[in-house]
Amino acid sequence: MALSAEEMAPLAESQRAIWGFMLAFADSMAIKAAIELRLPDIIQTHDGPITLSQIASSISTSSLPNTDYLFRIMRYLVNKKIFSATMDNNGKTLYSPTPVTIWISNDFELTLAPMILFQNHPLAQASWHCFSKCVKEGGDCFTAAHGCDVWEFASKNGVYNKLLNDGMACTSNLSSTFVAQYEGLKTMRSLVNVGGGTGQLLASIVEEYPNIKAINFDLPHVIEMAPKLPGVTHVVGDMFESIPAGENILLKWIMHDWSDKKCIQILKNCHKAVSDNGKVVLVDIVLRQEKDGSYCDVGLKADLLMLANTGGKERTEQEWKNILNEGGFTRYNIIPVILSTCIIEAYP
């Protein structure tokens, strides 16, 4: 029996929603292409609005760019407000940046471009295809996709390791803007950054507070790629075995990589290493439920990112309280920063 127009209307609307979910990857693929072609940099550095042919002529390539493909990608990104478009008096389309453009520009010091390239690389996306498999069979998604966990894979695969470190370094540049403004740094004499990557965050902190004795602590294959940084000492080790002693300990976006059991192990090692009058500073997401029952969309997407890559999770305040208590920290303070990201001060 044929449906009436009234019956079809809600079906059409709900079907449109499903198509949107189905093709949501188009957003990230178009942005990835824009970064690889350096479109944000070309458009931002041009003296005023720019035509498609001018953009095409600025793309670094050994052959002529396909302007039809370029037009369609640009049309999509304009529709998503990554760029803007206007018509000149001759009917030609002129492109300009929007406030969003700068975040995917390679020339912006706080750019997210390396993280976008990392998250949209086939090596990083393979584990997302293992959600249903791991619901049925258990295990973690990354191992299901690659045969080993993310940390072992990074130590063996140079391409993935570079993508990961570049992505984490750019988020360190971003997070350093609010971590460096954290009032608790003013009274610190020493700081151990556990899982500090290549040390960029500590370098920005020491630049602002040169009296802080800074130790950047991470795995061997990470420290191998770390440059010499003024005021920063690189130390190789494993946080599950022991952590260098210090007045204060910083873990930025580390805990969400791990299960509750592993987090408690890390916190217990932190408790042994931190001084009695110091604290452990965690920079991580705290999932907060709104009155209507919803959560911040970015926070929930980050939780699925952990599910895909590390077997870890994002946590509610109650979940944070539980693991902090088990790890020996009965007092804590949460300072909201941006979106769902918070600074959690844990006291021994």
Side-chain angles (χ1 to χ4, degrees), residues 169-185:
C170 90
T171 59
S172 285
N173 291 338
L174 176 60
S175 60
S176 67
T177 60
F178 57 79
V179 173
Q181 295 169 11
Y182 166 53
E183 292 290 321
L185 292 171

Side-chain angles (χ1 to χ4, degrees), residues 115-135:
M115 180 57 85
I116 293 168
L117 295 179
F118 168 48
Q119 295 298 345
N120 289 284
H121 192 279
L123 289 173
Q125 291 197 330
S127 55
W128 287 81
H129 295 277
C130 296
F131 280 4
S132 59
K133 176 182 174 67
C134 291
V135 167

Side-chain angles (χ1 to χ4, degrees), residues 6 27 54 74 172 213 256 267 282 325 328 348:
E6 287 184 357
D27 292 1
Q54 288 173 320
M74 287 297 300
S172 285
K213 179 184 176 182
H256 68 176
L267 288 167
L282 309 168
N325 286 346

